[in-house]
Amino acid sequence: MKAICFNFEIHQPFRLKRYRFFDIGNDHYYYDDFTNDDIVTRIAHQSYIPAAETLLRMIEDNGGRFKASISISGVAVEQLQQYVPEFIDLLKKLAATRCVEFVAQPYANSLASLTDPEEFRQQMEASCTLIRELFGLKATVARNTEFIYDDDIAPQLAAMGFKGVLTEGAKHILGWKSPDYVYSAASAPKLRLLMRNAKLSEDIAVRFSDTSWSEYPLTADKYIDWIASTPEDEQIVNLFMNLDTFGEHQPAMTGIFQFLEALPRFAAERGVGFMTPSEVIAKIKPVGELSVVHPISGADEARDTSAWLGNDLQNEAFRKLYGVAERVHLCSDRRLKQDWQYLQGADHFFFMSTKSMADGAAHRMFSPYETPFQAFTNYMNVLADFIVRVEEQYPLSIENEELNALLMTIRNQATEIETLNKELGSMRKNIEQYNVEHKLREEKECAPEAAPAKKPRAKAKTKKTK
């Protein structure tokens, strides 16, 4: 039976406030709380909440036959917990149905997988912990930031225990192959690849309300017919998109929520089912291995990483940020580590893009800055202050190798001191025990000998009188 595998992503970055050169060294708080509150609250009420309620109805009305998956960044969870906690409650209800799987993604929606394997591992583990603690579920499938993937990332995910990864069905990788199959990672054969069907995904996410589109208006029965008419041996159609497609990018007045809610009814009529990513991996065998030598993504026409690292501005900011990674990993300052996560968000680099034409329009639409250069200047001012704070703990004049050696010496000394303290504590206990036993012995030796117990006197016999 042919099936649809839905994945809806939820992510909102911590947007930066206007940070001037003169703020460096004087102001260590970088975030625009008013804007973050306004955007997250608006999108939650226009999109996230009605979309989640729609998914709940779809599950209930179809007896649990409708299934989907959700991936959510840790930074989005933090903001939603603060500004719209009722939406987190809705996500918990979806998790409780056991018809919605939660997919792990980098906690900060970062680009760490491209340069810092240790940071990437930590963020994926943090995401798994979040999913377990909030929703009581174990994440076994991963989704990297913007579907970024290559052969170097696959072994890392496999080593973390993931069984599969969602990524982009990039044409220059697939060639004549279809994204509607399950593939194995060439560099980690046990890891399964679920490739996004870009055309069918973007028919909803991008073209649904486009009146100039030849297929407008798109109805649920027409859409399901397209899926049902794909070749019979193509068993799975992966539809991956942002949750804010519903109500935000495609406003409610376009009928997008009614379209979504009608899909299961027409799917049932055409013999099309729904699966979670874990079910796909468990039930559908891979048709072959797929190698991805250079990183791919779901962004822009090129489907590569140029959306974030396509110009000198972006690469300079990226290099500066991860240039202090070693020192941040070593520090124990909780606030510094938190800022480190927030500053890694891929969105900051996306806003610096200088692309033109269609790709450039998409970057400008989401950017809070007037120009990419303004985005770069603001970010670099913030980053300069952040680096000053890092240097206060671990001076940049010390090379990483030398710093590691010094810290190793400190750790060894700390371990030695801890061992000596344990030995000292043990000796103190022995001495105390000895003193107690010695005192008892002395008291026993000095005590006077007890007098022998007197025998009871016998009663005198009385003479009997005759």
Side-chain angles (χ1 to χ4, degrees), residues 35 350 412:
T35 299
F350 188 82
N412 290 339

Side-chain angles (χ1 to χ4, degrees), residues 71-315:
S71 52
I72 184 168
S73 68
V75 292
V77 168
E78 288 184 29
Q79 294 179 81
L80 288 163
Q81 286 177 324
Q82 182 177 357
Y83 304 127
V84 200
E86 60 268 32
F87 176 64
I88 299 295
D89 293 334
L90 274 174
L91 290 180
K92 290 179 180 179
K93 288 182 181 179
L94 285 170
T97 66
R98 292 300 187 264
C99 292
V100 174
E101 176 179 1
F102 280 80
V103 173
Q105 69 177 84
Y107 188 94
N109 203 52
S110 72
L111 303 173
S113 61
L114 299 175
T115 187
D116 191 336
E118 176 59 21
E119 178 66 21
F120 178 56
R121 181 188 63 78
Q122 289 181 11
Q123 289 199 25
M124 293 302 294
E125 289 179 353
S127 179
C128 291
T129 300
L130 186 70
I131 291 169
R132 183 174 62 253
E133 292 178 350
L134 267 184
F135 310 118
L137 301 175
K138 181 181 179 181
T140 59
V141 178
R143 176 196 185 280
N144 196 11
T145 302
E146 299 294 337
F147 302 117
I148 292 174
Y149 174 82
D150 66 10
D151 289 341
D152 291 333
I153 293 172
Q156 297 176 55
L157 293 173
M160 295 177 210
F162 290 108
K163 296 179 180 179
V165 57
L166 312 184
T167 187
E168 178 67 20
K171 290 181 180 179
H172 67 280
I173 297 297
L174 288 171
W176 56 267
K177 298 175 184 176
S178 168
D180 301 337
Y181 293 99
V182 176
Y183 295 92
S184 294
S187 54
K190 291 185 178 180
L191 188 76
R192 302 293 181 253
L193 305 182
L194 274 62
M195 317 291 286
R196 184 177 82 120
N197 187 311
K199 192 270 178 188
L200 287 172
S201 297
E202 292 175 2
D203 283 343
I204 298 175
V206 179
R207 291 180 282 273
F208 182 82
S209 59
D210 183 2
T211 56
S212 65
W213 182 32
S214 61
E215 297 295 343
Y216 180 86
L218 180 62
T219 59
D221 56 339
K222 182 197 293 186
Y223 190 75
I224 291 297
D225 282 344
W226 290 349
I227 291 174
S229 63
T230 56
E232 187 176 348
D233 60 340
E234 296 183 4
Q235 296 179 312
I236 188 69
V237 178
N238 297 311
L239 303 177
F240 305 157
M241 63 199 73
N242 295 335
L243 189 63
D244 56 13
T245 292
F246 305 93
E248 177 67 12
H249 303 312
Q250 304 296 338
M253 63 182 181
T254 64
I256 189 68
F257 289 111
Q258 291 81 0
F259 167 84
L260 177 63
E261 197 164 353
L263 288 176
R265 177 165 66 89
F266 291 105
E269 292 177 359
R270 296 301 306 271
V272 177
F274 296 89
M275 287 185 180
T276 64
S278 289
E279 288 178 330
V280 173
I281 291 167
K283 295 179 181 180
I284 301 179
K285 293 182 179 180
V287 295
E289 291 186 351
L290 202 62
S291 178
V292 182
V293 179
H294 302 291
I296 58 173
S297 80
D300 293 351
E301 187 71 24
R303 298 292 197 257
D304 57 12
T305 59
S306 60
W308 310 276
L309 301 174
N311 62 40
D312 292 340
L313 303 178
Q314 294 167 314
N315 282 286

